[in-house]
């Protein structure tokens, strides 16, 4: 129930940008005391900002349409490197995010299977005859143009892919994957479990990483593709785990 309330609170704030405790209690069917505790927890996680008597949307929870044009050149370079690692006939999972969207654009016309919960990728590939498109089910979020929830994670248990390409909110110095959208964490974990190898696509803005959602560095992770050289502890952490760092 806490996860359901979190989604409802964040969806309400994305639409209204600000809300009182009473408004959020009514929207979620919860008590005032419960919403106050939820808001403090979500504020601590950086997902929103508590105000006197309510909350406003956090800067890190920007809508898809706002994020998509940012550093498009860097994202396109990352996508080109990623596309070169995919062979015709392979099945790939493409995560939510704007960099995976750039990768999908490069896969148009190619004989590959693309499995995704990213509805922006669906729009790009839906008319491609040579590309086999598998759209995962789930609860649709118009802000992030993606689906999430129990149906999404359960469907991934029925799938085996050659490669998964993940987007993240960031990576910690220890190499953990981070995400500000808690509902996406179990989906990313399921994607990693459903593939033989995984690559993280993350531009320079994702370092250092942030977000309450944490995914310990998985054994399936083989490569990180970014658009600027990395320095410091994260390089050492990834090196110890034999994760290749590629600068596009």
């Amino acid at each position: 129930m806490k996860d359901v309330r979190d989604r409802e609170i964040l969806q309400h704030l994305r639409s209204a940008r600000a809300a009182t405790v009473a408004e959020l209690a009514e929207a979620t069917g919860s008590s005032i005391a419960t919403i106050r505790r939820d808001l403090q927890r979500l504020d601590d996680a950086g997902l929103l900002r508590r105000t006197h008597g309510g909350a406003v949307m956090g800067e890190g929870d920007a809508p898809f349409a706002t994020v998509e044009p940012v550093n498009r050149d860097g994202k396109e370079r990352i996508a080109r490197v990623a596309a070169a690692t995919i062979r015709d006939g392979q099945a790939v999972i493409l995560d939510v995010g704007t960099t995976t969207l750039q990768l999908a654009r490069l896969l148009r016309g190619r004989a590959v299977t693309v499995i995704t919960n990213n509805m922006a990728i669906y729009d790009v590939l839906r008319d491609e005859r040579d590309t086999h498109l598998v759209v995962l089910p789930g609860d649709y979020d118009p802000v992030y143009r993606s689906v999430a929830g129990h149906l999404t994670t359960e469907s991934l248990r029925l799938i085996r892919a050659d490669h998964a390409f993940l987007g993240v909110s960031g990576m910690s110095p220890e190499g953990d994957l981070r995400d500000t959208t808690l509902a996406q964490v179990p989906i990313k974990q399921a994607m990693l479990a459903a593939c033989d190898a995984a690559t993280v696509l993350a531009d320079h803005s994702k370092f250092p990483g942030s977000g309450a959602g944490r995914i310990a560095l998985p054994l399936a992770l083989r490569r990180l593709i970014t658009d600027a050289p990395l320095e410091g502890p994260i390089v050492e952490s990834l090196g110890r785990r034999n994760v290749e760092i590629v600068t596009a």
Side-chain angles (χ1 to χ4, degrees):
M1 291 301 296
K2 181 175 68 175
D3 291 342
V4 172
R5 286 200 313 275
D6 287 352
R7 286 202 301 272
E8 291 175 345
I9 289 168
L10 293 172
Q11 286 172 355
H12 188 92
L13 287 173
R14 288 180 201 131
S15 175
R17 306 308 298 174
T20 65
V21 171
E23 288 169 343
L24 292 170
E26 181 179 357
T28 61
S30 305
S31 69
I32 295 290
T34 296
I35 292 299
R36 283 178 176 150
R37 289 194 296 270
D38 287 342
L39 293 182
Q40 188 58 58
R41 179 171 46 79
L42 293 170
D43 182 44
D44 292 340
L47 299 176
L48 53 76
R49 183 164 58 85
R50 286 282 274 123
T51 61
H52 181 68
V56 296
M57 195 70 258
E59 293 180 1
D61 204 31
F64 187 95
T66 302
V67 176
E68 196 275 331
V70 177
N71 192 27
R72 187 177 288 162
D73 177 68
K75 294 172 183 177
E76 289 174 348
R77 297 201 313 271
I78 292 169
R80 284 195 292 271
V81 173
T85 69
I86 300 171
R87 300 191 305 271
D88 286 352
Q90 286 190 323
V92 298
I93 298 172
L94 299 188
D95 190 15
V96 300
T98 56
T99 309
T100 51
L101 173 62
Q102 297 300 331
L103 175 55
R105 287 171 174 155
L106 296 175
L107 296 179
R108 284 184 290 204
R110 290 190 55 180
V112 295
T113 296
V114 173
I115 304 153
T116 190
N117 61 332
N118 187 332
M119 295 300 101
I121 289 176
Y122 162 76
D123 287 339
V124 166
L125 297 178
R126 62 184 179 182
D127 295 324
E128 295 296 323
R129 294 187 177 184
D130 294 327
T131 305
H132 181 202
L133 180 61
V134 178
V135 180
L136 295 167
D139 299 319
Y140 179 61
D141 184 337
V143 174
Y144 290 111
R145 299 195 65 189
S146 64
V147 297
H150 184 69
L151 279 174
T152 315
T153 53
E154 286 302 306
S155 296
L156 283 162
R157 300 185 198 280
L158 305 176
I159 287 169
R160 195 68 198 170
D162 296 291
H163 212 126
F165 293 87
L166 267 65
V168 293
S169 298
M171 293 185 75
S172 72
E174 296 75 31
D176 294 331
L177 311 183
R178 298 296 178 89
D179 206 292
T180 57
T181 309
L182 297 179
Q184 290 295 332
V185 171
I187 297 173
K188 293 180 191 296
Q189 290 174 323
M191 288 178 173
L192 290 165
C195 71
D196 294 332
T199 294
V200 169
L201 309 180
D203 69 19
H204 63 274
S205 67
K206 306 300 177 64
F207 306 95
S210 63
R214 173 184 175 272
I215 304 170
L217 198 68
L219 294 175
L221 183 60
R222 307 290 173 79
R223 186 180 297 110
L224 163 67
I225 306 176
T226 186
D227 64 334
L230 297 182
E231 299 177 352
I234 191 169
V235 175
E236 299 174 5
S237 298
L238 295 177
R240 286 194 297 270
R241 294 167 173 83
N242 296 316
V243 176
E244 179 187 12
I245 301 175
V246 180
T247 303

